[in-house]
Each structure stands twice: as C-alpha cells, then as structure tokens.
Amino acid sequence: MIDSYWESVLIFLGINTVLALSLYLPISAGQLSLGHGGFMAIGAYVSVICTTWLGWPLVAGLAGGGLAAGLAGAVVGFPALRIKGIYLIILTMGFGEIVRIFFLNFEPTGQASGIGGIKHLTTLPLVTLVAALMLLCLMRFRDARIGRALRAVQEDEVAAEAMGVDLTRVKVGAFALGALGAGIGGGLYAHHALFIDPAQFGFFRSAEIFLIVVLGGLGSYWGPVVGAAVVTLLPELLRFVQEWRMTVFGTLLILCAVLRPAGLLSGRRRAAA
Amino acid sequence: MVSHGKFARFALAVLTLSALALGVAGPASAQAKIGVLMPLSGKGASYGAHQQVAIKMFQDKGGALNLVVYDTRGENTDAINLTRKLIGSDHVVAIVGPLFSGESEVTFPVAVQGKTPIITPTSAKPGIAAANRPWAFRNALTSDKLDGALVEKWLAANPGVKKVVILVDTKDAVSKSDGGIVLPAALKDRGVTVIDSISFQTGDIDYSAQVTKAKSLNPDGLVVAALYNEGANVVRELRKQGLTQPIVAGLGIMDPRFIELAGPAAEGVMTVNDFWTDNPDPAVARWVAEYKQRSPTPPSNAAALMYDTLDIVRACVEKSGVSGKPDDLEKDRERMRDCLSRVKDYKAPVTGSTTFNADGDALRQPVVLVVRKGKFESVR
Amino acid sequence: MLLQQLVNGLMLGSTYSLIAIGYALIFGVLGLVHLAHGEVFMMGALIGLQIVLWLHAGPAVALVGALLGTAALGVLIELTAFRPIRARNGPIFAPMVSTIGVGLILQEVATKAFGGEQVGFPHRLEPVTWRLGPVTISSVQLLILGTALVLMLALHLWVTRTRMGMAMRASAESTLTARLLGISTDRVILVTFAVASALAGAAGVLVGLSFNAISPFMGIDMGVKGLAIMLLGGLGNIYGAMVGGLLLGAIEVLSVAYLASSYRDAFVFGVMILILLFRPQGLFGVGQVR
C-alpha cells in the first residue's frame, strides 16, 4: 500500500508530532522548554531497557519510558516554577545537556556506543494512534477545567492566581505531562531507529522540537501537527535542491518568522514573557 | 524515484555507452542497480565530497555500475529512510555505504529485513557487521585487527616506555573503544602500565587542561585515541606545552589532514592503517596522482575505500551472474550476498589484498606508519 | 599544575567573554536572544583565515579584517532577519526562529565555501612559547588576553564617553524614553549589532589562531556557552559578561583537570542551574528578574 520509504517518513512524522504535542503543553502554560530532548532520551533508554532486558511488550515499555520521563519532568518542574522566560530556556537547556552527558557516561547503556539491536516494534498504525490520542486529550483538556486554567495562566498569571487557580499544580502538571509525552515519543523513536546513542538526543533535538511548536503557532493544538509536517516533510521534498537544502530551509524559517511571527496557524497572540 | 541529478545523468550516459560498446559483461547486468549512501551535505560533507571524486574516477575507468546515490546528511533518520527507498523503490541489488558508524547501526538492520546486502566502506565501530549477518559487510579495518602490530612496533622503537597516559575522545564510539579497551589491552599484554586515561570530546577546541594534567603525571609515552581533527589539536597542544615523549595514535587519526593540521608537532607520531597517500607502491601512487588531478585535497581513507568497495561490488556483479531483471531481484541479492561472503584475497586496486571473514569484516595486511618530515612512512 | 590550569582558564575565558558581551549588548538593547551569534563568531574565524591565505598577511590584519567583515554581517542580519519582525510586533519566539534560520544558512554557506571539516591557520603563524617558572604561556595566548582586554576597555569607554555609546545604553534602559529623547533607535540598533558582531568576529579569529580548529560547526558550542555566560553575569550586563566569561573558562578548565572531562559540560550547566535557582539575576545583575 504505502511503500517502505514513505512508511518510514510518515513514522518519523508521527513521532515528531507526538513530541511536538507534548512540548505544546508546557509552552502554552508559559514555560519555554529547550530541554525536551532530555526527556525524550530518558523515555527512549528506559523503554529499551523494558523491552530488551525485561522482555516486556512495546506498550508496557512505552508506559515505563513515559513514566520515567514524567517523573523527571515533575522534578524539573518545581524549580522551573520560580523561573521565567529566557532563564527557563537556559535551565531546561542545561537539563537536557546534563541528561545527554549522563547517558554518555553511563556504562550499562553503552555510553557513546549506544544501544543497538532494538526490536522493530513501532508501526505506522501505532504511531498514528498515539498521536491521535494525544491530540484528542488536548482537545478535551482545552474545555475541561484544567484546560481553562491553563489558558488563564497563559493570558495573565497574576489574575489567574487571584481567581483561585493553583499555579503550582497547573505549571508543574503541564511540565510533567509534557515530559511524559516526550518519553513516549522517545520510546517510539527507539523502536523504529533500532539504535540509540546520546548524540540523538542533544541540543539539536530539543531545538528541533521547539522549532516545530513555535512554527506551528500556539493558537491551536493543530499547530504542532502542522509544524511537524513542515519540519519533517520539507527536507524530504527539498531533495531536489540537495546541495543547498539547509539554506533553503533556513530562508523559509526567516520568511515564516517575518511574515507570520505568531506561527503558521496564528490564533491568539502570546503576551511577551 | 529521485536519484541525485548529476549521477542519474552520468549513470545513464555510462549505461548507454556500455550498451553500445557491447561490453564484456552482458548488457543486462549493467542494469542491476547499486545504491550508494553518503553524506553530501551537513555532517561529514567533506568525506562525501572525497567519495564523490572516487566514484567519478571509478566510473571514468569504465566501471560500469548503475549507481543510485543518495545524500544522508550524516543523519540517522535520513539514512533509515533512504535505505528503505533503495531497497523498496529503487530495487537495488546491493548498497554501498553508509559512512558513519552510527548510520551503519541504523541501516544494517533495515538491510537485513529487506534481504539486501549492504557494505560500508568506512564504518569502523566494532561489531556492527557481526550483529547483522549474513547481509552486512564492512570494508574498513577495525582497531582490534591493527593495534597489536602497532603497539609492537612502537615499543620496539621506544624501548624505554614503561608507563603511559592515554588521551581519548569519549564522544566518538570508535575512538572510545580504541582508547578505552583495545589499545590498553595491547599495551598491558606487553608489560606497559597505563597511569591514567584523560578524556576529551569530539568538537572540543581547547585541550590545555587535559594536556597540563597529562604533563603532571610524567609518563614515558603518550597514547592518543581520536579522530584526525581532535588528534591533531591534542598533538599540537602536547608539543606546545613542552612534552617530548613519543606519541602513538589509534587509526582514527589516519587522514592526510592530520599532518596538515598538526604541523611540525606531528613528527614522529606512529599509527597504523592500510592506506596512506605517500605509499610508494606504484599502483597506489598512480591512483593518488590521478586523484590529485581531480581534486584540490589529497584523498582520504573514505575515498580510497569507496573506490575499492565499488570495485569489489563490480567484480561480484560481473561474476555472480546477476541478471538485473526485476523478477530476479531476490535471487540477485542473494547472489551478491554469497559472492561478497566468499571474497578472499581479492586484489583491491588501492588497499590491496582483501578478505571478508565470517563476521563480514575485512581482513587486510595492516601497515604501521610513522610521520617523518611531514609525510607518512611505513615502519619496517 | 593549578597555576597553569588557571592560566589556561583565563585564556579560554577571555574568548568566551568577547562572545558573551555581544549577547549582552544585543539582549540589553533589543531584549532578544540572538541564536545565530555563535555562527557570526564562526564566520569571523573563517573570514580571518581567508584574509591570511589570500593576502599572505599576519594575524593583525586578519583581526581587523574579521572585525570589519563580521560587523557588516551583523548589520545584514539585523536588516534582513530582525527589523522586518520588529515592525510586526510579534511574540518573542519569532525572532528566535528567525535567528535559527540565519544560523542554518551561515553554517551551510561556510560549509560550501570552506569544506565541512576543520581547517587551520598556516603554520608560519605558529606561536612562540615562553616558560615563566611553572607556567607555560604562548604568544598567541597573550595576544588573545591582550586583545580581549583592549576591546573590552574600548567598549567601556565607548559606552560611557561617546554619544552613540550612551544612546545605546539609553535604548537598553527604555526604548520609548530613548525615542522621546530624539535618539534614532533604528540607528542605535544597527550600531549595536555591528559592535556585537565585530566582537564575536574578533573572538573567532583569536580562537582560530590559538586552537587552530576552525570548522563551520564551531559556533554551536560557543553560542550555547556565550548564552550561559550572559546569564551568569546578569542579562544585558556587559561587565557581568566580561567577568562571567573569565569565570566560566576557569570553571571549565578546572573541572577537566580535577574531574573527568566527559562531565565537563554537565558541571558547567550544573553550576549555571544552581545560580539560576539561588541568584537568578546573575552575579552582577541587579533588581528584579524580568
């Protein structure tokens, strides 16, 4: 039906969508995170440990990876409460790097040599399902009390708190859930690429996911989906300008920022941090 | 199907010419497609550029192979997608590449699943071909086959060395295993103690701290396990801070640019490999001379190995009765696989007599080299 | 060994300072993070190298050439990638996305022009090494430290004594007030970019001369560190950036010397995180965290 090449491209697209949706959550609570690669790494490694060493099925592995990442997210989420804007970006960036360096030195998971021989368990239907579920959750979320609390926090924190929104719960919760999503994304990635090493989850990865989310815009939860599609498919479609691919991509980014600064799907405008 | 524009046209030209010339191999086998994966942009682009020159040289010498070339950008994601494309859409009978060990790690299982032989000309990380038998092969030598001879000759030339310090790149898997496992074992086997192992990372630009530390430990000899960039910088810093001990380096530094970057500091550094540009052997010298006419920079390992790998693949295409017909695709791939696993003492044009062992790894005669007056020389 | 390591750290740190100052300048005047600043640094190194190769010139000429070249580059970036966005008054990530694009383009242009792997300055520019007791210093290291100090001093004088410099400080305090006072903010911004980029370019040449490891990707690591230093020193505070750079250089070098190098970056970030948690305005920042 779909040929093997496009299947793989679409699986990566699905994984990027999952990652982007998971980052969308904390960012829409005003927490700019450039450390999502770190949570992805935790999810990837833990899920591989579950499936390869413990012999669990993939779903259990994903759950394991997600939970581990979510826990890390909660831990990082608390200090993140007191920090805003550019400082938070750097905090999360530092966290992401520390995770990567940890795995670079951690012997049981191979250090720089990484882990190979992972079973190919990720399938296109599975990835699509996970992405769709996340999207569904976000949609329901939006109208539930928690979602509205989130939007209130996004618009004006002080007012939200005055109205009784428990800032701590909302912000830490968003951070932890975002990390959980990234962990699941990491697990899906590991079982498709069949080999992971710390280099896969460095600053570039975090920046890429961040880029996807802001490219798509914060106005709607479809933003991350559009962003993921642009960032994943464009390099493939640009193969005919193989030699200058990055230049074209970079120029497109600049154009996007100039012409649609609030993202491709701009809805509401974010107040400056 | 998107082939790299230039190569599609070139391959077509070669195809037409060979069909017209009523070549030795039946015109049908010229239709069998061979996939090539290399980084033409992004990480490793300069290695890719070298390999492109080698490919062109190969085709100009009448190597009638129908090549489908894709750019992996040095990225694992692209490598995976493109391998699937080569197998599923382009219907190649074999794949040459990819360049990096990380890429090989992710593409080899895909090739195994797609039952297509894949042979990397350059990946030196231990164990990757072995884990993906029978379809994966590796034409590059790994440190475990080379370091014994290297350490032997180094200690023979420097008998006073009893304790050493190892400076190792822990971010590069090949250097890490070389400096962390293989070299120390070879040294210990010959009664040399490793006082300490000091680490740095690929891409570092400042090594003053590591070298100062090494200096304070007062070793008799220094061991460097790194790629050519970092290795050159380390060696320069060592000499700059006044250390005069003899230096032995793992195969990762093997590249003409090592000498260029390290300058006078490279003098006396000993290492090991199967290809070096100043090899006086007439066949190699001719090849290097011709390469230099086509490219401003001297050839690296990547170019030499690409050339030889293409040659081995061509030999297999011709000899194993690959038909190139779409119905025979599965059979053709098996024929290629079997032919490659039977390669024994094959006279590769640049790197010499090659054999593939049961792990799919190449076996060749290693040559221990030392830098003298700005050039690599073999050590007797 | 400690003394030598401190010297190493000082040398490394002075190049970090030059880059961090650039970040601080741009953040101070514009309130935004220029994520391609590391790439401007890289271009400085490459421009310097080209000048040396084409004109067979010495390091001084390379330095001046790189200063001018990157200043021009900085102006170009401001005009094409930032000014149009400012006009639209979008959210803060828009300029960040734009700078990522700029960074990608610069990396690719550099790769095409100079090859993807490292190149080095010709060896006739090899430094002379001197031994002062237990410490070894090379002429290039002194050059770096000296140049960095001179540039920082020059910047300080410029910012406090000249009209344009003071206009820059005014704009950093409050764009609105500055405009009310008749300062052409557009012109100030252009000058800011030029100066910041020139400093980065100078740092690039100095690093290239000293470590001989110029590649299109050398800017990434430096860029991240420069950001961290700006944070350490207090956002937008150029004196904080100066001291912060030296401090970070020392921390890095000492952590390599006494811990394992593979933890070096983790250590650096760990320190940064601690500072963020306990003194978020940085070592020299004053007042509230924005």
Side-chain angles (χ1 to χ4, degrees):
Chain A
M1 202 186 59
I2 314 178
D3 79 19
S4 161
Y5 165 66
W6 282 110
E7 184 193 22
S8 183
V9 174
L10 288 173
I11 290 181
F12 280 121
L13 172 61
I15 293 174
N16 279 340
T17 310
V18 167
L19 291 166
L21 285 170
S22 71
L23 182 60
Y24 178 76
L25 203 54
I27 290 194
S28 55
Q31 302 179 299
L32 303 172
S33 167
L34 260 179
H36 237 48
F39 298 123
M40 185 184 172
I42 295 176
Y45 274 102
V46 170
S47 70
V48 169
I49 291 175
C50 291
T51 55
T52 317
W53 294 355
L54 300 174
W56 291 0
L58 180 63
V59 179
L62 291 178
L67 278 170
L71 235 95
V75 168
V76 178
F78 276 102
L81 279 176
R82 299 197 283 148
I83 307 180
K84 299 188 200 349
I86 173 86
Y87 297 98
L88 187 57
I89 291 181
I90 298 187
L91 175 79
T92 48
M93 202 158 71
F95 167 75
E97 280 298 282
I98 291 180
V99 169
R100 182 185 65 80
I101 292 170
F102 167 77
F103 281 114
L104 197 64
N105 288 288
F106 191 55
E107 277 223 44
T109 54
Q111 298 176 309
S113 308
I115 305 185
I118 306 175
K119 291 183 268 202
H120 191 275
L121 297 172
T122 306
T123 60
L124 189 56
L126 178 64
V127 173
T128 320
L129 189 67
V130 173
L133 277 174
M134 283 186 73
L135 201 56
L136 209 68
C137 281
L138 277 179
M139 278 160 70
R140 293 306 227 54
F141 211 56
R142 186 145 207 151
D143 299 316
R145 244 180 54 182
I146 309 179
R148 282 181 283 145
L150 209 68
R151 278 185 357 249
V153 167
Q154 187 181 350
E155 281 298 320
D156 186 337
E157 270 188 31
V158 177
E161 199 169 23
M163 294 296 286
V165 171
D166 183 345
L167 276 187
T168 308
R169 264 212 344 209
V170 169
K171 292 182 110 174
V172 174
F175 217 85
L177 283 176
L180 188 132
I184 295 180
L188 287 169
Y189 173 85
H191 292 86
H192 177 62
L194 310 182
F195 166 76
I196 52 174
D197 66 5
Q200 296 299 311
F201 307 110
F203 177 67
F204 267 145
R205 178 73 66 183
S206 302
E208 190 183 52
I209 306 175
F210 185 81
L211 185 68
I212 291 177
V213 175
V214 300
L215 202 62
L218 291 177
S220 128
Y221 39 73
W222 288 106
V225 180
V226 170
V230 169
V231 170
T232 317
L233 297 178
L234 213 53
E236 294 298 321
L237 299 174
L238 286 181
R239 265 184 203 282
F240 64 94
V241 282
Q242 206 153 264
E243 303 260 306
W244 291 96
R245 221 170 358 166
M246 283 297 114
T247 309
V248 174
F249 190 55
T251 317
L252 286 173
L253 284 180
I254 299 180
L255 283 175
C256 269
V258 170
L259 296 174
R260 289 199 74 89
L264 290 167
L265 290 186
S266 3
R268 80 188 66 225
R269 256 191 44 201
R270 273 215 69 234
Chain B
M1 256 182 304
V2 181
S3 286
H4 190 227
K6 288 196 280 250
F7 277 105
R9 270 178 275 136
F10 205 105
L12 199 58
V14 170
L15 210 76
T16 322
L17 279 174
S18 50
L20 287 174
L22 301 166
V24 175
S29 63
Q31 287 169 15
K33 289 194 256 186
I34 307 287
V36 179
L37 291 171
M38 50 187 199
L40 291 169
S41 61
K43 216 174 26 153
S46 68
Y47 292 119
H50 279 236
Q51 291 189 323
Q52 261 186 318
V53 175
I55 292 178
K56 194 150 187 321
M57 255 176 88
F58 177 79
Q59 303 209 300
D60 286 348
K61 287 189 179 311
L65 278 184
N66 185 354
L67 298 175
V68 179
V69 179
Y70 285 137
D71 173 18
T72 63
R73 291 192 296 157
E75 297 282 340
N76 289 9
T77 315
D78 289 40
I80 296 174
N81 293 342
L82 292 169
T83 309
R84 284 172 167 238
K85 194 168 182 184
L86 286 171
I87 297 178
S89 318
D90 295 306
H91 303 302
V92 298
V93 302
I95 301 177
V96 173
L99 183 96
F100 289 113
S101 297
E103 294 177 303
S104 293
E105 286 267 20
V106 295
T107 52
F108 281 12
V110 179
V112 170
Q113 221 180 29
K115 298 214 177 69
T116 304
I118 183 166
I119 169 168
T120 169
T122 46
S123 300
K125 187 172 166 188
I128 36 179
N132 291 287
R133 305 301 289 132
W135 298 97
F137 299 86
R138 181 227 302 272
N139 198 17
L141 294 179
T142 51
S143 52
D144 49 331
K145 300 180 182 54
L146 300 170
D147 286 351
L150 173 64
V151 171
E152 194 78 47
K153 291 243 163 79
W154 186 60
L155 291 174
N158 299 289
V161 172
K162 290 282 171 268
K163 43 191 191 7
V164 296
V165 163
I166 300 184
L167 293 131
V168 54
D169 181 347
T170 49
K171 197 170 174 191
D172 172 57
V174 174
S175 300
K176 186 178 71 92
S177 100
D178 204 1
I181 306 173
V182 186
L183 279 170
L187 287 162
K188 282 203 186 85
D189 280 344
R190 290 166 180 79
V192 176
T193 5
V194 176
I195 315 178
D196 199 2
S197 178
I198 304 178
S199 62
F200 52 91
Q201 307 201 35
T202 325
D204 276 359
I205 51 179
D206 176 50
Y207 301 89
S208 52
Q210 285 91 338
V211 168
T212 304
K213 192 172 176 186
K215 189 173 176 182
S216 69
L217 293 167
N218 230 340
D220 306 318
L222 297 157
V223 181
V224 176
L227 301 173
Y228 79 87
N229 284 335
E230 291 73 23
N233 290 324
V234 169
V235 167
R236 273 187 73 207
E237 185 69 28
L238 284 168
R239 296 308 185 215
K240 195 164 92 170
Q241 287 202 23
L243 287 100
T244 51
Q245 294 91 329
I247 301 177
V248 67
L251 62 97
I253 62 138
M254 195 53 213
D255 190 288
R257 278 167 293 185
F258 170 75
I259 302 183
E260 212 182 286
L261 284 174
E267 188 72 15
V269 171
M270 209 181 272
T271 184
V272 65
N273 212 315
D274 48 2
F275 167 77
W276 74 107
T277 49
D278 299 309
N279 189 345
D281 180 307
V284 179
R286 265 200 307 270
W287 188 86
V288 173
E290 170 150 3
Y291 186 98
K292 283 198 185 148
Q293 284 184 333
R294 295 157 175 268
S295 155
T297 46
S300 65
N301 257 15
L305 288 169
M306 171 59 86
Y307 190 88
D308 277 356
T309 311
L310 285 174
D311 193 62
I312 296 176
V313 167
R314 180 190 52 83
C316 271
V317 167
E318 284 170 5
K319 295 203 189 88
S320 64
V322 164
S323 75
K325 299 204 198 71
D327 296 333
D328 288 341
L329 188 57
E330 221 178 277
K331 276 251 137 61
D332 280 348
R333 287 173 173 167
E334 283 169 13
R335 289 188 188 116
M336 288 298 292
R337 175 200 66 193
D338 294 336
C339 173
L340 285 170
S341 42
R342 283 196 294 263
V343 167
K344 194 167 146 59
D345 298 323
Y346 177 82
K347 276 224 84 203
V350 188
T351 51
S353 171
T354 303
T355 304
F356 286 130
N357 68 6
D359 283 339
D361 289 344
L363 297 172
R364 272 192 287 272
Q365 189 62 253
V367 181
V368 176
L369 303 164
V370 69
V371 180
R372 289 259 176 268
K373 298 212 224 356
K375 286 180 193 269
F376 278 114
E377 244 178 45
S378 65
V379 173
R380 250 146 282 293
Chain C
M1 174 172 83
L2 180 59
L3 203 56
Q4 174 74 59
Q5 295 289 26
L6 282 176
V7 169
N8 293 339
L10 209 63
M11 302 302 164
L12 183 63
S14 45
T15 49
Y16 283 159
S17 295
L18 286 176
I19 298 176
I21 295 174
Y23 271 117
L25 277 173
I26 294 179
F27 189 84
V29 172
L30 283 136
L32 66 85
V33 182
H34 180 14
L35 287 173
H37 199 54
E39 271 62 49
V40 172
F41 155 82
M42 175 270 291
M43 290 301 289
L46 286 171
I47 293 175
L49 178 65
Q50 280 310 105
I51 291 177
V52 165
L53 291 177
W54 284 344
L55 304 178
H56 297 286
V61 178
L63 202 62
V64 172
L67 275 169
L68 295 173
T70 43
L73 182 63
V75 168
L76 183 66
I77 294 176
E78 146 65 7
L79 289 175
T80 53
F82 283 119
R83 181 159 298 192
I85 299 179
R86 250 191 348 268
R88 304 274 188 128
N89 213 7
I92 63 164
F93 350 100
M96 282 174 73
V97 169
S98 192
T99 53
I100 294 179
V102 170
L104 286 175
I105 294 179
L106 286 178
Q107 275 178 18
E108 180 143 277
V109 167
T111 313
K112 288 292 178 251
F114 304 102
E117 301 299 317
Q118 281 183 358
V119 294
F121 277 89
H123 288 285
R124 55 186 170 74
L125 298 179
E126 199 64 40
V128 175
T129 352
W130 297 305
R131 232 139 284 184
L132 302 168
V135 172
T136 314
I137 301 186
S138 86
S139 55
V140 175
Q141 284 179 316
L142 281 182
L143 177 69
I144 292 178
L145 191 59
T147 314
L149 287 176
V150 163
L151 286 173
M152 288 192 247
L153 187 65
L155 185 68
H156 167 74
L157 289 174
W158 190 63
V159 159
T160 47
R161 303 288 166 86
T162 67
R163 258 185 45 191
M164 181 49 92
M166 291 196 279
M168 218 161 68
R169 277 168 67 203
S171 304
E173 284 290 329
S174 160
T175 324
L176 188 56
T177 319
R179 269 211 215 108
L180 288 174
L181 289 175
I183 297 176
S184 155
T185 23
D186 274 352
R187 181 117 55 94
V188 168
I189 290 175
L190 271 180
V191 171
T192 309
F193 259 93
V195 171
S197 306
L199 288 175
V205 171
L206 294 174
V207 166
L209 280 173
S210 170
F211 302 113
N212 220 26
I214 306 176
S215 88
F217 305 107
M218 71 195 276
I220 303 172
D221 200 41
M222 276 295 190
V224 171
K225 294 224 178 93
L227 205 54
I229 294 164
M230 179 179 67
L231 182 73
L232 191 67
L235 284 185
N237 182 332
I238 52 181
Y239 304 103
M242 286 183 204
V243 176
L246 297 173
L247 203 58
L248 194 77
I251 293 178
E252 252 199 51
V253 159
L254 289 174
S255 72
V256 166
Y258 296 105
L259 304 173
S261 144
S262 33
Y263 286 105
R264 177 198 65 202
D265 289 341
F267 197 70
V268 165
F269 276 108
V271 166
M272 257 177 30
I273 290 180
L274 286 176
I275 294 192
L276 271 177
L277 293 177
F278 296 113
R279 204 188 151 80
Q281 62 268 46
L283 296 174
F284 303 98
V286 289
Q288 300 297 357
V289 170
R290 277 232 228 144

